[in-house]
Amino acid sequence: MTEARRRRKKNRVTSLDIAHRAGVSQATVSRVLAGSPLVNPETRRRVEQAVRELNYKVDRHASSLRTQRAGTLALLLFEDPTPDDSHINPFFLSMLGSITRACARHGHDLLVSFQQLSDDWHADYEDSMKADGLILLGYGDYLTYRAKLETLVAQGTHFVRWGQVEPGQPGVSIGCDNHAGGRLAGQHLLACGRRQVAFLGDASSRFPEFQARYQGCDAALREAGLGLSPALQADADSTEEAGFKATRELLARGQPFDAIFAASDLIAIGAIHALKEAGLRVPDDVSVVGFDGTAMARLADPPLTTVVQDTSRAGELLVSTLLQLVRDQPVQSVMLPPTLEIRASSMR
Amino acid sequence: MTEARRRRKKNRVTSLDIAHRAGVSQATVSRVLAGSPLVNPETRRRVEQAVRELNYKVDRHASSLRTQRAGTLALLLFEDPTPDDSHINPFFLSMLGSITRACARHGHDLLVSFQQLSDDWHADYEDSMKADGLILLGYGDYLTYRAKLETLVAQGTHFVRWGQVEPGQPGVSIGCDNHAGGRLAGQHLLACGRRQVAFLGDASSRFPEFQARYQGCDAALREAGLGLSPALQADADSTEEAGFKATRELLARGQPFDAIFAASDLIAIGAIHALKEAGLRVPDDVSVVGFDGTAMARLADPPLTTVVQDTSRAGELLVSTLLQLVRDQPVQSVMLPPTLEIRASSMR
DNA sequence: CTGAAAGCGCTTACAG
DNA sequence: CTGAAAGCGCTTACAG
């Protein structure tokens, strides 16, 4: 055993040590540290001094075992279909950042874990008392997803999910108003004088977020007597490669289009590459609008117009809602309004 | 109290419940779950069945309180000087991903927390038994950093740091061989016929990673009778904005250059924007090489040549080294060899 | 191979 | 305002 480790183990300070040094009982030490008002100010001072002098920290396990609260939330990040380190969707990494910060603000720790949406989730953080509740993050086939959400509800697990908000869903969801976001994109493309808008992304009910974006854009176009055409829709999951391929496929169809609304920024960036490769100019020949508001949208060439999801508010809302749930307070699903950030990729 | 929650609380299954159902003692249940060989196979079967039937999970706090092991590691991610959600360096997010995966492989949970390098770190995860050790991630002024590392060492905290590996450093470090990476960049630019290489990034000892990259590139150039010139070096922290501004500043100096070696991909992407803005072509007029091997390098226009750090191996090594440290096994600092990924930004 | 018992370090009714 | 005592749910010497 190293010297440092021996020191650490031997020196392990407990609340009893603090009690002795401050001349009070263990119970009083606990009260001071819990911020109880039932403590004489002078007593509190002495205890706090002893805590400082001995660098005492409450043992989390002892505390949690007694109170049956972990003071910790767990974030499950689903990463189908790209289990490659470098390919995690930057939007979700941004969400991870804001969730981490929100947890810290609320005085909770955050356990982070990556899961395959298609596999069995290791959602037993609450059963083993490691976390008071779960935050579920990541899109994927909703057919798979929904069944697992129902299992969680049946087990009485506390969880909040990021995703499309729809009536009758199991559990509580926080999500972007994707329909409104699609509408913003459609209206903007109309204002740019575009008439034939292509959509890149799976628009079926298996991907409710993408579907709502599709429908929102479609609705905006319909109000102008237009609409999205199935002939100008191509599936793509949220990667640059998929956006690249889908755009090539679209071009191969020969059906003319003057704008692309991509279901995510990554898809949009892939689309821009494919358009350039085909000798088309962005935005002169084709306007491109993405979705998410990731940092890379600004770095794209040309800079990408994108529907921005408010990740800061999203993280805060996910955490605060989950904590309310844990405390048995009433909660509700919330849709956050997106905004449009207009850049050169769409404006002629 | 909601129905689900009442059920959850009331149903809380303990090892004693399993013991009763399997007709054994609590001690035997514990042995089975710990995989002890001192258990009759038939007894083991009965216990495992009861565990399955009651969906029993060991209470982490009770277990950790008894064993004095948390089964958890904590990741501290420093984010000076950009505490904005969207601006976390994508390289560190990629590292976060690989560390998360490595933790899971090693059967440990991971607590994630963002910290300001300049503030007091909340490095008390080990004091409160929340984690068995720390992984430190993020660059920053090493003057600040080093003092805090020494404090951690003095406290006997178990930690591993990601960063430049140098003799005499406090604690254990895992890092990229930045000097070798700089050398790769320099040799490649020479092979591209470049003679006047500019460097973007702080090359002082306060940023040892950047400094080593500078020196490695300089060494390669010197072998060809050239070298990096201080007149062609401009400070930049690892953001696109900083790279953009540094390049503008460089251009304003009027000193000619035909290549830029940027200390990070973000800086390089900012540089490309500034070069284009100035009417210069990449790579025809100026070759650009970045560092990190982030996903956005591939998406840049033109695609960015970059020195790739192996984040997968890095994450695995950080976690396995930390676990060895926690187990009092001998460990050592390691430098990982980088590779060069050549793309269009450097090749005429 | 198995069980009875102690104890990890807290918090919280309870009593004063 | 304070203290003595119990107990959260495990694991592990110890004894057999």
Side-chain angles (χ1 to χ4, degrees):
Chain A
M1 201 183 281
T2 65
E3 194 46 49
R5 174 129 183 223
R6 190 174 299 120
R7 190 154 9 103
R8 170 169 284 284
K9 286 212 163 171
K10 202 160 148 191
N11 277 9
R12 178 125 199 88
V13 178
T14 72
S15 63
L16 216 49
D17 297 322
I18 304 299
H20 287 150
R21 176 175 270 249
V24 297
S25 73
Q26 209 183 12
T28 297
V29 173
S30 185
R31 285 191 194 100
V32 169
L33 268 50
S36 163
L38 305 162
V39 183
N40 181 302
E42 166 56 17
T43 310
R44 152 161 287 127
R45 204 198 50 71
R46 287 213 315 281
V47 170
E48 283 169 346
Q49 188 183 344
V51 165
R52 245 177 289 117
E53 286 169 359
L54 298 183
N55 188 31
Y56 170 69
K57 296 290 187 312
V58 174
D59 183 303
R60 178 55 149 274
H61 300 298
S63 172
S64 288
L65 176 59
R66 188 58 172 79
T67 61
Q68 302 288 68
R69 266 175 276 117
T72 302
L73 303 179
L75 172 63
L76 304 196
L77 187 51
F78 307 115
E79 47 175 351
D80 287 352
T82 49
D84 175 359
D85 283 3
S86 57
H87 283 202
I88 306 166
N89 191 319
F91 170 71
F92 290 118
L93 287 180
S94 170
M95 288 289 290
L96 186 156
S98 83
I99 290 168
T100 302
R101 264 177 265 271
C103 264
R105 275 197 300 276
H106 288 269
H108 279 245
D109 290 311
L110 182 69
L111 285 167
V112 172
S113 139
F114 293 174
Q115 312 266 335
Q116 303 298 117
L117 181 59
S118 50
D119 288 359
D120 275 342
W121 304 349
H122 298 283
D124 54 354
Y125 290 92
E126 200 169 345
D127 299 316
S128 55
M129 304 294 283
K130 291 196 275 195
D132 299 313
L134 305 177
I135 296 173
L136 308 181
L137 194 59
Y139 303 144
D141 188 334
Y142 190 67
L143 292 179
T144 315
Y145 210 147
R146 184 179 176 110
K148 302 203 178 179
L149 295 183
E150 275 161 358
T151 307
L152 288 183
V153 171
Q155 287 170 178
T157 300
H158 298 101
F159 73 94
V160 177
R161 160 185 171 264
W162 172 259
Q164 176 67 6
V165 176
E166 267 161 26
Q169 276 175 330
V172 182
S173 297
I174 308 291
C176 176
D177 186 340
N178 292 297
H179 194 278
R183 185 178 278 276
L184 285 175
Q187 287 166 344
H188 172 65
L189 289 170
L190 285 171
C192 294
R194 305 306 181 165
R195 319 298 289 169
Q196 292 160 308
V197 180
F199 182 86
L200 298 185
D202 187 323
S204 78
S205 62
R206 305 178 68 162
F207 295 85
E209 293 81 14
F210 285 10
Q211 186 182 40
R213 293 170 196 178
Y214 179 96
Q215 291 171 344
C217 183
D218 187 50
L221 296 176
R222 280 187 193 286
E223 284 164 15
L226 301 163
L228 286 171
S229 152
L232 287 176
Q233 183 273 334
D235 286 355
D237 50 46
S238 196
T239 64
E240 190 232 347
E241 290 82 350
F244 185 83
K245 283 186 194 148
T247 304
R248 275 193 167 169
E249 187 202 315
L250 207 60
L251 291 165
R253 289 187 201 163
Q255 180 98 358
F257 58 93
D258 56 14
I260 287 179
F261 174 34
S264 80
D265 285 349
L266 281 177
I267 295 173
I269 288 171
I272 290 176
H273 282 230
L275 292 170
K276 283 184 185 172
E277 188 199 55
L280 294 166
R281 291 162 305 163
V282 178
D284 306 72
D285 299 315
V286 180
S287 285
V288 178
V289 173
F291 204 107
D292 282 346
T294 56
M296 46 176 46
R298 194 177 300 112
L299 306 184
D301 184 51
L304 179 67
T305 294
T306 179
V307 179
V308 181
Q309 306 195 63
D310 186 343
T311 53
S312 293
R313 272 192 70 197
E316 170 59 30
L317 208 50
L318 283 165
V319 170
S320 60
T321 302
L322 180 53
L323 289 176
Q324 285 175 288
L325 208 57
V326 167
R327 296 185 193 112
D328 278 316
Q329 293 165 357
V331 297
Q332 55 186 6
S333 293
V334 176
M335 281 203 284
L336 293 171
T339 54
L340 185 70
E341 206 151 306
I342 299 172
R343 301 206 182 87
S345 71
S346 58
M347 302 285 284
R348 265 193 291 204
Chain B
M1 201 184 282
T2 65
E3 194 46 52
R5 174 128 183 225
R6 190 175 298 118
R7 188 155 11 100
R8 169 169 285 282
K9 286 213 163 173
K10 203 161 145 190
N11 277 9
R12 176 122 200 91
V13 179
T14 71
S15 63
L16 216 49
D17 298 321
I18 304 299
H20 289 150
R21 177 175 271 249
V24 297
S25 73
Q26 210 183 9
T28 297
V29 173
S30 184
R31 285 191 195 99
V32 169
L33 268 49
S36 163
L38 304 162
V39 183
N40 181 302
E42 167 56 17
T43 310
R44 154 160 285 126
R45 204 198 50 70
R46 286 212 315 280
V47 170
E48 283 170 347
Q49 189 182 344
V51 165
R52 244 177 288 117
E53 286 170 357
L54 299 185
N55 189 33
Y56 170 69
K57 295 289 187 313
V58 174
D59 183 303
R60 177 55 149 275
H61 300 298
S63 172
S64 288
L65 177 58
R66 187 59 171 79
T67 61
Q68 301 288 67
R69 264 177 276 116
T72 302
L73 302 179
L75 173 63
L76 304 198
L77 187 51
F78 306 114
E79 49 173 352
D80 286 353
T82 50
D84 174 358
D85 283 5
S86 58
H87 282 203
I88 306 166
N89 191 320
F91 170 71
F92 290 118
L93 288 179
S94 170
M95 287 289 290
L96 187 156
S98 82
I99 291 168
T100 302
R101 264 177 266 272
C103 265
R105 275 197 301 277
H106 287 271
H108 278 245
D109 290 311
L110 183 70
L111 285 167
V112 172
S113 141
F114 293 173
Q115 312 267 334
Q116 305 297 116
L117 181 58
S118 49
D119 287 1
D120 275 343
W121 303 349
H122 298 283
D124 54 354
Y125 291 92
E126 199 169 345
D127 298 316
S128 56
M129 303 294 285
K130 291 195 275 195
D132 299 314
L134 305 178
I135 296 173
L136 308 182
L137 194 60
Y139 303 145
D141 188 334
Y142 190 66
L143 291 180
T144 314
Y145 210 149
R146 183 178 177 112
K148 301 204 179 181
L149 295 183
E150 275 160 359
T151 307
L152 289 183
V153 171
Q155 286 170 179
T157 300
H158 298 101
F159 74 93
V160 178
R161 160 184 171 263
W162 172 259
Q164 175 66 10
V165 177
E166 267 161 26
Q169 277 176 330
V172 181
S173 298
I174 308 292
C176 175
D177 186 339
N178 292 297
H179 194 278
R183 185 177 278 276
L184 285 175
Q187 287 166 344
H188 171 65
L189 288 171
L190 284 172
C192 293
R194 303 307 182 166
R195 320 296 292 168
Q196 294 158 308
V197 181
F199 181 86
L200 298 186
D202 187 323
S204 77
S205 62
R206 305 178 68 161
F207 295 86
E209 294 81 15
F210 286 10
Q211 185 182 39
R213 292 170 197 178
Y214 179 94
Q215 291 171 343
C217 183
D218 186 50
L221 296 176
R222 281 185 193 286
E223 285 165 14
L226 300 164
L228 286 170
S229 151
L232 287 176
Q233 183 273 335
D235 287 355
D237 51 49
S238 196
T239 66
E240 190 233 347
E241 291 81 351
F244 185 83
K245 283 185 195 151
T247 304
R248 274 193 168 172
E249 187 202 316
L250 207 60
L251 291 165
R253 289 189 200 161
Q255 179 98 357
F257 58 92
D258 56 14
I260 287 179
F261 174 35
S264 81
D265 286 349
L266 281 176
I267 294 174
I269 289 172
I272 291 176
H273 282 231
L275 291 171
K276 284 185 186 171
E277 188 200 55
L280 293 166
R281 292 162 305 162
V282 177
D284 305 75
D285 299 314
V286 180
S287 285
V288 178
V289 173
F291 205 107
D292 283 345
T294 56
M296 44 177 48
R298 194 177 301 113
L299 307 183
D301 183 51
L304 179 67
T305 295
T306 179
V307 179
V308 181
Q309 307 196 63
D310 186 344
T311 54
S312 293
R313 273 191 70 198
E316 170 60 29
L317 207 51
L318 283 165
V319 170
S320 59
T321 301
L322 180 53
L323 289 176
Q324 286 175 287
L325 208 55
V326 167
R327 295 184 194 115
D328 278 317
Q329 294 165 357
V331 298
Q332 55 185 9
S333 293
V334 176
M335 282 203 284
L336 294 172
T339 53
L340 185 71
E341 206 151 306
I342 299 172
R343 302 207 182 86
S345 71
S346 58
M347 303 285 284
R348 264 191 292 206

